[in-house]
Amino acid sequence: MAEKQATLPIEGMTCAACATRIEKGLNRMDGIAEASVNLASERAAVQYDGDAVTLQQVVDKIEHLGYKVPVETLDLQIEGMTCAACSTRIEKGLSRMQGVQTAAVNLATETAKVTYIGLKQEDILTKISQLGYTGRLKKEEGESVQESPTQRNMRRLRNTFLVSALLSIPLLWSMVGHFSFTSWIWVPEWFMHPWVQMVLAAPVQFIIGARFYVGAFKALRSGSANMDVLVALGTTSAYVYSVYLAWQWQIGELHHPEMYFETSAVLITLILLGKWLEASAKGRSSQAIRALMGLRAKTA
């Protein structure tokens, strides 16, 4: 029995139920000794029998449950290479490590780029050392470090929220005019047009909100429900019913349809805002923890 340990980053968890669901799913797998998921750090610690199950199968199981295991990238400076055989030897040695997706070594620039899942940076540096070479992180020499998955997720959520908010503002503005206590606020006439509202809400519902449909499908496929199911069901109902009312208005059945396009669009926008704020808070916490760990002595 070859017992191994891996720590996997996980994207897509929204509550403690998500963490519990992943834990139960992993612990049911043959070869898994123990699986523990931390919602705050968005990581899963897995102990498994390397002879019975592979790390890739663990990753596939998490993704089948409706979550994502992001691939991490490491840029290294390599010392000690003298010929093409050296770079080939490092590439082959790293590629054989379970969890390494790709390893590319450039002899001319003495650099290496490694993409991996479930490994620590120290594991990769130790492997390079065992092969007879010295590897160092580029950031130690003032080189630029690639954007981390957390930073990339924060940037993506921010941009998505801004686009969604831009499309939702006219819909929210039109909703304000329906209340008696805000009837004094001027609302452009074309904001009230049913087809204009539908065109504004459609990208928010089906392009920006596609992530909720994907998450809902994966959750239902595995026999459970999560927040994505609720969001997809609620916003789709509001959107489809509004399209029906708009069509009734078009054929003359209704004169002043009370549509709910703003409900679906604004709901998705607010949820994205919450996810962005949550990711930002987690990102700041992670940076603080890394800064604290950086204070420890490197040698003793």
Side-chain angles (χ1 to χ4, degrees):
M1 177 177 178
E3 185 165 323
K4 297 183 178 181
Q5 295 183 348
T7 302
L8 302 172
I10 301 177
E11 291 182 356
M13 293 190 294
T14 57
C15 60
C18 296
T20 303
R21 184 162 164 250
I22 297 173
E23 280 186 2
K24 289 181 178 179
L26 293 178
N27 285 315
R28 290 193 190 104
M29 293 181 66
D30 294 332
I32 298 294
E34 183 181 0
S36 175
V37 180
N38 190 312
L39 175 64
S41 63
E42 294 186 312
R43 289 184 174 271
V46 184
Q47 294 181 7
Y48 63 100
D49 180 4
D51 297 330
V53 64
T54 65
L55 185 60
Q56 187 58 49
Q57 289 175 320
V58 176
V59 172
D60 292 342
K61 179 63 175 180
I62 294 173
E63 293 185 344
H64 179 75
L65 291 170
Y67 305 91
K68 184 179 180 182
V69 180
V71 176
E72 299 181 270
T73 302
L74 185 62
D75 288 323
L76 299 171
Q77 197 75 35
I78 308 293
E79 294 180 1
M81 295 188 295
T82 57
C83 61
C86 295
S87 60
T88 302
R89 182 162 174 248
I90 296 173
E91 282 186 357
K92 289 182 177 179
L94 292 176
S95 297
R96 290 193 188 104
M97 293 181 67
Q98 196 170 84
V100 171
Q101 304 287 306
T102 61
V105 180
N106 190 315
L107 175 63
T109 59
E110 294 187 317
T111 59
K113 189 180 186 72
V114 185
T115 58
Y116 61 96
I117 292 176
L119 292 173
K120 297 178 181 177
Q121 295 180 351
E122 291 78 7
D123 297 334
I124 297 174
L125 294 175
T126 300
K127 182 63 176 180
I128 294 173
S129 178
Q130 291 173 350
L131 293 171
Y133 306 92
T134 302
R136 287 205 305 269
L137 299 178
K138 275 190 173 182
K139 65 179 179 181
E140 294 180 359
E141 301 184 356
E143 299 281 348
S144 60
V145 180
Q146 288 218 353
E147 190 177 37
S148 69
T150 301
Q151 292 172 326
R152 186 165 56 249
N153 185 47
M154 286 170 53
R155 178 175 52 81
R156 185 170 60 245
L157 283 171
R158 181 200 62 197
N159 295 341
T160 304
F161 162 70
L162 292 175
V163 174
S164 183
L166 187 64
L167 293 170
S168 300
I169 286 173
L171 297 170
L172 186 61
W173 193 348
S174 68
M175 183 183 71
V176 169
H178 288 84
F179 300 108
S180 57
F181 58 91
T182 56
S183 57
W184 55 272
I185 298 177
W186 175 74
V187 179
E189 187 65 28
W190 65 276
F191 280 6
M192 308 296 290
H193 196 285
W195 299 127
V196 171
Q197 292 191 14
M198 187 186 76
V199 170
L200 289 171
V204 179
Q205 182 69 42
F206 300 110
I207 299 177
I208 296 174
R211 58 184 295 158
F212 300 111
Y213 287 104
V214 173
F217 170 75
K218 290 181 177 179
L220 293 174
R221 182 183 61 184
S222 59
S224 65
N226 58 8
M227 189 181 73
D228 291 334
V229 176
L230 298 176
V231 174
L233 184 61
T235 58
T236 302
S237 299
Y239 185 89
V240 172
Y241 184 59
S242 297
V243 172
Y244 168 76
L245 293 178
W247 174 250
Q248 292 292 304
W249 170 82
Q250 181 68 39
I251 62 177
E253 294 290 334
L254 292 175
H255 296 291
H256 299 288
E258 296 182 0
M259 295 166 298
Y260 303 94
F261 288 118
E262 77 285 344
T263 301
S264 63
V266 172
L267 181 59
I268 290 174
T269 302
L270 291 177
I271 292 173
L272 291 175
L273 173 61
K275 287 183 176 292
W276 176 33
L277 295 176
E278 179 186 23
S280 300
K282 287 181 179 178
R284 286 193 296 269
S285 300
S286 298
Q287 288 174 359
I289 292 172
R290 283 195 294 269
L292 185 62
M293 292 177 64
L295 297 176
R296 66 183 178 180
K298 293 182 172 58
T299 56

